[in-house]
Coordinates of all heavy atoms in Angstrom, one line a residue:
Chain A
K83 N 14.7 46.6 -6.2 CA 14.7 45.2 -6.0 C 15.2 44.7 -4.6 O 14.7 43.8 -4.0 CB 15.7 44.6 -7.1 CG 15.3 43.3 -7.6 CD 16.2 42.8 -8.8 CE 15.9 41.4 -9.2 NZ 16.7 41.0 -10.3
W161 N 5.2 26.9 1.5 CA 6.0 27.0 0.3 C 5.2 27.5 -0.9 O 5.6 27.4 -2.0 CB 6.5 25.6 0.0 CG 7.6 25.1 0.9 CD1 8.5 25.9 1.5 CD2 7.8 23.8 1.4 NE1 9.3 25.1 2.3 CE2 9.0 23.8 2.2 CE3 7.3 22.5 1.1 CZ2 9.5 22.7 2.9 CZ3 7.8 21.4 1.7 CH2 8.9 21.5 2.6
R163 N 2.6 26.6 -2.5 CA 2.2 25.7 -3.5 C 0.7 25.8 -3.8 O 0.2 25.5 -4.8 CB 2.5 24.2 -3.1 CG 4.0 24.0 -3.3 CD 4.3 22.6 -2.9 NE 5.8 22.4 -3.1 CZ 6.5 21.4 -2.5 NH1 5.8 20.5 -1.8 NH2 7.7 21.3 -2.7
R300 N 9.0 3.3 -5.2 CA 8.1 4.2 -5.9 C 6.8 3.6 -6.2 O 5.8 4.2 -6.5 CB 8.7 4.7 -7.2 CG 9.9 5.6 -7.1 CD 10.2 6.3 -8.4 NE 10.6 5.4 -9.4 CZ 11.9 5.0 -9.7 NH1 12.9 5.5 -8.9 NH2 12.2 4.2 -10.6
D312 N 9.1 14.6 -0.6 CA 8.8 16.0 -0.8 C 9.1 16.8 0.5 O 9.4 18.0 0.4 CB 7.4 16.1 -1.2 CG 7.1 15.7 -2.6 OD1 8.1 15.4 -3.3 OD2 6.0 15.6 -3.0
Y315 N 13.4 14.6 2.2 CA 14.5 14.4 1.3 C 14.9 15.7 0.5 O 16.0 16.2 0.6 CB 14.2 13.3 0.3 CG 15.3 13.1 -0.7 CD1 16.5 12.4 -0.4 CD2 15.2 13.6 -2.0 CE1 17.5 12.2 -1.4 CE2 16.2 13.4 -3.0 CZ 17.3 12.7 -2.6 OH 18.3 12.6 -3.6
Y316 N 13.9 16.3 -0.2 CA 14.1 17.5 -0.9 C 14.6 18.7 0.0 O 15.5 19.4 -0.3 CB 12.9 17.9 -1.8 CG 12.8 17.1 -3.0 CD1 11.5 16.9 -3.6 CD2 13.9 16.5 -3.7 CE1 11.4 16.1 -4.7 CE2 13.7 15.7 -4.8 CZ 12.5 15.5 -5.3 OH 12.3 14.7 -6.5
P317 N 13.9 18.9 1.1 CA 14.3 20.0 2.0 C 15.8 19.9 2.4 O 16.5 20.8 2.5 CB 13.4 20.0 3.2 CG 12.1 19.4 2.6 CD 12.6 18.4 1.6
T319 N 18.1 18.1 0.8 CA 18.9 18.3 -0.4 C 19.2 19.8 -0.7 O 20.3 20.1 -1.2 CB 18.2 17.6 -1.6 OG1 18.0 16.3 -1.3 CG2 19.0 17.7 -2.9
I320 N 18.2 20.6 -0.6 CA 18.4 22.0 -1.0 C 18.6 22.9 0.2 O 18.6 24.2 0.1 CB 17.3 22.5 -1.9 CG1 16.0 22.6 -1.1 CG2 17.1 21.7 -3.1 CD1 15.0 23.5 -1.9
K325 N 24.0 22.5 0.8 CA 24.6 23.2 -0.4 C 26.0 23.6 -0.1 O 26.9 23.4 -0.9 CB 23.8 24.4 -0.8 CG 22.5 24.0 -1.5 CD 21.7 25.3 -1.8 CE 20.4 24.9 -2.5 NZ 19.5 26.1 -2.6
K332 N 33.0 19.6 -3.4 CA 33.4 19.6 -4.8 C 34.8 20.3 -5.0 O 35.5 20.0 -5.9 CB 32.4 20.5 -5.6 CG 31.2 19.6 -6.1 CD 30.3 20.4 -6.9 CE 29.1 19.6 -7.3 NZ 28.0 20.5 -7.8
R341 N 30.2 13.5 -4.9 CA 28.9 13.0 -5.3 C 28.3 12.0 -4.3 O 27.1 12.1 -4.0 CB 28.9 12.5 -6.7 CG 27.5 12.0 -7.2 CD 27.5 11.7 -8.7 NE 26.5 10.7 -9.0 CZ 25.2 10.9 -9.0 NH1 24.7 12.0 -8.7 NH2 24.4 9.9 -9.3
V345 N 24.8 12.3 -2.1 CA 23.7 11.3 -2.1 C 23.4 10.8 -0.7 O 22.3 10.7 -0.2 CB 24.0 10.2 -3.1 CG1 23.0 9.1 -2.9 CG2 24.0 10.7 -4.5
V349 N 19.8 10.7 1.7 CA 19.2 9.4 1.6 C 19.1 8.7 3.0 O 18.1 8.1 3.4 CB 19.9 8.5 0.6 CG1 19.5 7.0 0.7 CG2 19.6 9.0 -0.8
I377 N 20.3 1.7 -1.1 CA 20.1 2.7 -2.1 C 21.3 3.5 -2.4 O 21.7 3.8 -3.5 CB 18.8 3.5 -1.8 CG1 17.6 2.7 -1.9 CG2 18.7 4.8 -2.7 CD1 16.3 3.3 -1.4
T381 N 23.6 3.5 -5.9 CA 23.9 4.7 -6.7 C 25.4 4.9 -6.8 O 25.9 5.2 -7.9 CB 23.2 5.9 -5.9 OG1 21.9 5.6 -5.7 CG2 23.3 7.2 -6.8
Chain B
K27 N 9.3 9.5 -14.3 CA 10.5 8.9 -13.7 C 11.7 8.7 -14.7 O 12.4 7.7 -14.6 CB 10.1 7.5 -13.1 CG 8.8 7.4 -12.4 CD 8.9 8.0 -11.0 CE 7.6 7.8 -10.3 NZ 7.0 9.0 -9.7
S31 N 14.8 10.7 -7.8 CA 15.0 11.8 -6.9 C 16.5 12.1 -6.6 O 16.9 13.2 -6.3 CB 14.2 11.5 -5.6 OG 14.6 10.2 -5.1
I32 N 17.3 11.0 -6.7 CA 18.7 11.2 -6.5 C 19.3 12.1 -7.6 O 20.1 13.0 -7.4 CB 19.5 9.9 -6.3 CG1 19.0 9.3 -5.0 CG2 21.0 10.0 -6.4 CD1 19.5 7.9 -4.7
I34 N 17.6 14.2 -9.3 CA 17.1 15.5 -9.2 C 18.0 16.4 -8.2 O 18.3 17.5 -8.5 CB 15.6 15.5 -8.6 CG1 14.7 14.9 -9.7 CG2 15.1 16.9 -8.3 CD1 13.3 14.5 -9.2
A35 N 18.4 15.7 -7.1 CA 19.3 16.4 -6.2 C 20.6 16.9 -6.9 O 21.0 18.0 -6.7 CB 19.7 15.5 -5.1
T36 N 21.2 16.0 -7.7 CA 22.4 16.4 -8.5 C 22.1 17.5 -9.5 O 22.9 18.4 -9.6 CB 22.9 15.1 -9.2 OG1 22.9 14.0 -8.3 CG2 24.4 15.4 -9.7
S39 N 21.7 20.9 -7.8 CA 23.0 21.5 -7.5 C 23.8 22.0 -8.7 O 24.4 23.1 -8.7 CB 23.8 20.3 -6.8 OG 25.1 20.5 -6.9
E42 N 22.0 25.3 -10.0 CA 22.3 26.4 -9.1 C 23.7 26.9 -9.4 O 23.9 28.2 -9.4 CB 22.2 26.0 -7.7 CG 20.7 25.8 -7.2 CD 20.6 25.5 -5.8 OE1 21.5 25.0 -5.1 OE2 19.5 25.8 -5.2
E43 N 24.6 26.0 -9.6 CA 26.0 26.4 -9.9 C 26.2 27.1 -11.2 O 26.8 28.2 -11.4 CB 26.9 25.2 -9.8 CG 28.3 25.4 -9.4 CD 29.0 24.1 -9.1 OE1 28.7 23.5 -8.0 OE2 29.7 23.6 -9.9
I49 N 17.6 27.6 -5.7 CA 16.2 27.1 -6.0 C 15.6 26.8 -4.6 O 16.1 26.0 -3.8 CB 16.3 25.8 -6.8 CG1 16.9 26.1 -8.2 CG2 14.9 25.2 -7.0 CD1 17.2 24.9 -9.1
G50 N 14.5 27.5 -4.3 CA 13.8 27.3 -3.0 C 12.8 26.2 -3.1 O 12.5 25.7 -4.2
M51 N 12.3 25.8 -1.9 CA 11.3 24.7 -1.8 C 10.0 25.0 -2.6 O 9.4 24.1 -3.1 CB 10.9 24.4 -0.4 CG 11.9 23.4 0.3 SD 12.1 21.9 -0.6 CE 10.5 21.1 -0.5
E52 N 9.7 26.3 -2.8 CA 8.5 26.6 -3.5 C 8.5 26.2 -5.0 O 7.5 26.1 -5.6 CB 8.1 28.1 -3.4 CG 9.1 29.1 -3.9 CD 10.2 29.5 -2.9 OE1 10.5 28.7 -2.0 OE2 10.7 30.6 -3.0
M54 N 10.0 23.3 -5.8 CA 10.3 21.8 -5.9 C 9.0 21.1 -6.2 O 8.4 20.3 -5.4 CB 10.8 21.3 -4.5 CG 12.2 21.9 -4.2 SD 13.4 21.4 -5.5 CE 13.6 19.7 -5.1
E55 N 8.5 21.3 -7.4 CA 7.3 20.6 -7.8 C 7.6 20.0 -9.2 O 8.3 20.5 -10.0 CB 6.1 21.5 -8.0 CG 5.6 22.0 -6.6 CD 4.3 22.9 -6.8 OE1 4.4 24.1 -7.0 OE2 3.2 22.3 -6.8
E73 N 15.8 34.2 -11.5 CA 16.8 35.2 -11.8 C 16.1 36.6 -11.7 O 16.7 37.6 -11.3 CB 17.3 35.0 -13.2 CG 18.5 34.0 -13.2 CD 19.0 33.7 -14.6 OE1 18.2 33.9 -15.6 OE2 20.1 33.3 -14.8
E74 N 14.8 36.7 -12.0 CA 14.1 38.0 -12.0 C 13.8 38.4 -10.6 O 13.5 39.6 -10.4 CB 12.8 37.8 -12.8 CG 13.0 38.1 -14.3 CD 11.8 37.7 -15.1 OE1 10.7 37.7 -14.5 OE2 12.0 37.4 -16.3
E75 N 13.7 37.5 -9.7 CA 13.3 37.8 -8.3 C 14.2 38.8 -7.6 O 15.4 38.7 -7.8 CB 13.2 36.5 -7.5 CG 11.9 35.8 -7.5 CD 11.8 34.5 -6.7 OE1 12.8 34.3 -6.0 OE2 10.8 33.8 -6.9

Side-chain angles (χ1 to χ4, degrees):
Chain A
K83 214 172 172 179
W161 287 328
R163 287 181 180 161
R300 288 197 297 271
D312 290 352
Y315 177 79
Y316 284 151
T319 301
I320 67 162
K325 284 177 183 170
K332 272 185 187 168
R341 179 167 151 73
V345 172
V349 167
I377 290 172
T381 308
Chain B
K27 321 280 187 230
S31 52
I32 291 173
I34 293 169
T36 315
S39 152
E42 288 188 332
E43 210 167 281
I49 298 172
M51 272 309 292
E52 61 271 31
M54 295 299 291
E55 288 187 272
E73 279 176 336
E74 276 168 24
E75 271 180 9

